[in-house]
Amino acid sequence: MPVVTVKMWKGRSVDQKRKLAKAITDAMVEHADAKPGGLHVIIEESDLENWARAGVLGVDRKDLDKTP
Amino acid sequence: MPVVTVKMWKGRSVDQKRKLAKAITDAMVEHADAKPGGLHVIIEESDLENWARAGVLGVDRKDLDKTP
Amino acid sequence: MPVVTVKMWKGRSVDQKRKLAKAITDAMVEHADAKPGGLHVIIEESDLENWARAGVLGVDRKDLDKTP
Amino acid sequence: MPVVTVKMWKGRSVDQKRKLAKAITDAMVEHADAKPGGLHVIIEESDLENWARAGVLGVDRKDLDKTP
Amino acid sequence: MPVVTVKMWKGRSVDQKRKLAKAITDAMVEHADAKPGGLHVIIEESDLENWARAGVLGVDRKDLDKTP
Amino acid sequence: MPVVTVKMWKGRSVDQKRKLAKAITDAMVEHADAKPGGLHVIIEESDLENWARAGVLGVDRKDLDKTP
């Protein structure tokens, strides 16, 4: 019955999301006694201009290495 | 003063959202003593590739019946 | 399959929550084509010191009328 | 280590977001003892048809003055 | 840099949370190119009276099997 | 009309929250054209066992320096 929300930058492929959702679901079943039937994994993708770390937007980061 | 967030798949019309926001607001006023003035209803729409249930993305579901 | 989250101040009774969850679920089924089976309503209650409007915490509001 | 999420209507420029993220980060460091290194500010922008106040969608509001 | 939020019922032990956070982090690194350094996993636990499925609160469910 | 949510560890005093909510509200008004009247700041506090960074729960971190 849990709801897992993943917030990250845009750019993952559908196949990456597919594997990610499966792996998180497996982790929930194995470690949190969750039943997969009612388990939701929601991915929320962010633009670089909508996420700051240490007060600096993603679009302004020099060291940006494309990883989310 | 409450904030109600509805996460669902894309595809509702503006008129459906209009009626939904009204009905949820009415429910909050009737059952939770909320005052409508400061009551927010936020709708967040998801792509089929960004929501998994039972570890399977919406884009991969065979039984998908277009309901959110 | 939608997930509805209600954030409000503490203080509703279990019976109020019961009716609220039912009414929101009905609204989702009627207006958003949702199927009730996978529909989650999550209530998140906040202390008065953890919610500000217009920059003023709930604990500091003079006009507080106990409605959420 | 905190995560600050700002939900508002679309329409701020990148420069507004830049200054906003910086100012919120400064506020967290000054008033909440946060270290900027692990501090995230996430901006989530909403369409006018996806946000209702007092049961009325943004697209239906007559008094709309373009402020979020 | 992603933020993963897990909403579920109360009742997991610290050790279950420890393994869950580790497994979700590993899944993010393997499948979403995330770097662990800035990756947050936040667990939000809910009371049975604050979560409804199909319009029925957890406290009212007859078939409740203690799994989240 | 925006909603700002601050997720951080427990431990800030009411006075810290008071100043934080005020400062974030001021930042929203100055940089995002927000009107304070409908602006909500919600603080969500987390236990150390419910937040992991780099796959390690707060309760397990050796370098923990009590800052959020």
Side-chain angles (χ1 to χ4, degrees):
Chain A
M1 203 159 171
V3 176
V4 180
T5 308
V6 178
K7 297 194 183 193
M8 59 180 178
W9 282 340
K10 280 187 178 162
R12 302 317 106 194
S13 68
V14 175
D15 196 53
Q16 283 181 300
K17 294 174 184 177
R18 182 178 288 125
K19 289 172 180 163
L20 179 64
K22 180 69 169 61
I24 289 177
T25 301
D26 289 348
M28 291 294 299
V29 171
E30 183 172 355
H31 300 297
D33 293 336
K35 293 188 169 180
L39 199 160
H40 299 261
V41 177
I42 306 172
I43 298 171
E44 299 182 351
E45 297 179 295
S46 173
D47 286 312
L48 287 178
E49 71 177 64
N50 283 341
W51 193 311
R53 185 169 170 186
V56 182
L57 292 181
V59 286
D60 294 331
R61 285 177 59 188
K62 299 275 181 282
D63 64 323
L64 208 62
D65 52 14
K66 305 308 175 199
T67 58
Chain B
M1 204 157 171
V3 176
V4 180
T5 307
V6 178
K7 297 193 183 194
M8 58 182 178
W9 281 340
K10 281 187 179 162
R12 301 319 108 195
S13 68
V14 175
D15 196 53
Q16 283 181 300
K17 294 174 184 176
R18 181 178 289 126
K19 288 171 181 163
L20 178 64
K22 180 68 169 61
I24 288 178
T25 301
D26 289 348
M28 291 294 299
V29 170
E30 184 172 354
H31 300 297
D33 293 337
K35 295 188 168 179
L39 199 160
H40 299 261
V41 177
I42 305 171
I43 298 170
E44 298 181 351
E45 298 178 295
S46 174
D47 286 311
L48 287 177
E49 71 178 63
N50 284 339
W51 194 312
R53 187 169 168 186
V56 181
L57 293 181
V59 287
D60 295 331
R61 287 176 58 189
K62 299 276 182 280
D63 65 323
L64 208 63
D65 51 14
K66 305 305 177 201
T67 58
Chain C
M1 204 160 170
V3 176
V4 180
T5 307
V6 178
K7 296 192 183 194
M8 60 181 178
W9 282 340
K10 279 187 180 162
R12 302 318 106 195
S13 68
V14 175
D15 196 53
Q16 284 181 299
K17 295 175 183 177
R18 181 179 288 125
K19 289 172 180 163
L20 178 65
K22 180 70 171 59
I24 289 178
T25 301
D26 290 348
M28 292 294 300
V29 171
E30 182 171 355
H31 301 297
D33 294 337
K35 295 189 169 178
L39 200 160
H40 299 261
V41 177
I42 306 171
I43 297 171
E44 298 181 351
E45 299 179 293
S46 174
D47 286 311
L48 287 178
E49 71 176 65
N50 284 339
W51 193 312
R53 186 169 171 187
V56 181
L57 292 181
V59 285
D60 294 331
R61 286 178 59 190
K62 298 273 181 283
D63 66 323
L64 207 65
D65 52 13
K66 305 307 176 201
T67 58
Chain D
M1 203 157 171
V3 176
V4 180
T5 307
V6 178
K7 296 193 182 194
M8 58 181 178
W9 282 341
K10 280 187 181 165
R12 301 318 106 195
S13 68
V14 175
D15 196 52
Q16 283 181 300
K17 294 174 183 177
R18 182 179 287 128
K19 288 172 180 162
L20 179 64
K22 179 70 169 59
I24 288 177
T25 301
D26 289 349
M28 292 294 299
V29 170
E30 183 172 355
H31 300 298
D33 294 336
K35 294 187 169 180
L39 200 161
H40 299 260
V41 177
I42 305 172
I43 297 170
E44 298 182 352
E45 298 179 293
S46 174
D47 285 313
L48 287 177
E49 71 178 63
N50 283 339
W51 193 311
R53 186 168 169 186
V56 182
L57 291 183
V59 288
D60 294 331
R61 286 176 60 188
K62 299 274 180 283
D63 65 323
L64 207 64
D65 52 14
K66 304 307 179 200
T67 58
Chain E
M1 203 157 169
V3 176
V4 180
T5 307
V6 179
K7 296 192 184 194
M8 59 180 178
W9 282 340
K10 280 186 181 165
R12 302 317 108 196
S13 68
V14 175
D15 195 53
Q16 283 181 300
K17 295 174 183 176
R18 182 178 287 126
K19 288 172 181 163
L20 179 64
K22 180 67 170 61
I24 289 178
T25 300
D26 289 348
M28 292 294 300
V29 170
E30 183 171 355
H31 300 297
D33 294 337
K35 294 187 170 180
L39 200 160
H40 299 261
V41 177
I42 305 172
I43 298 170
E44 298 181 351
E45 298 178 293
S46 175
D47 286 311
L48 286 178
E49 71 176 63
N50 284 339
W51 193 312
R53 186 169 170 187
V56 181
L57 292 182
V59 286
D60 294 331
R61 287 176 59 188
K62 298 276 183 282
D63 65 323
L64 207 64
D65 52 13
K66 305 306 178 201
T67 58
Chain F
M1 203 158 171
V3 177
V4 180
T5 308
V6 178
K7 297 194 183 193
M8 59 182 178
W9 282 339
K10 279 185 180 163
R12 302 318 106 197
S13 68
V14 175
D15 196 54
Q16 283 181 301
K17 294 174 183 176
R18 182 178 288 126
K19 289 172 180 164
L20 179 65
K22 179 70 170 58
I24 289 177
T25 301
D26 290 347
M28 291 295 299
V29 171
E30 182 172 354
H31 301 297
D33 293 337
K35 293 187 168 181
L39 199 161
H40 299 260
V41 176
I42 305 171
I43 298 171
E44 298 181 352
E45 298 179 293
S46 174
D47 285 312
L48 288 177
E49 71 177 63
N50 283 339
W51 194 311
R53 187 168 169 186
V56 181
L57 291 182
V59 287
D60 294 330
R61 286 176 60 189
K62 298 274 182 282
D63 65 323
L64 207 64
D65 52 15
K66 304 307 178 200
T67 58

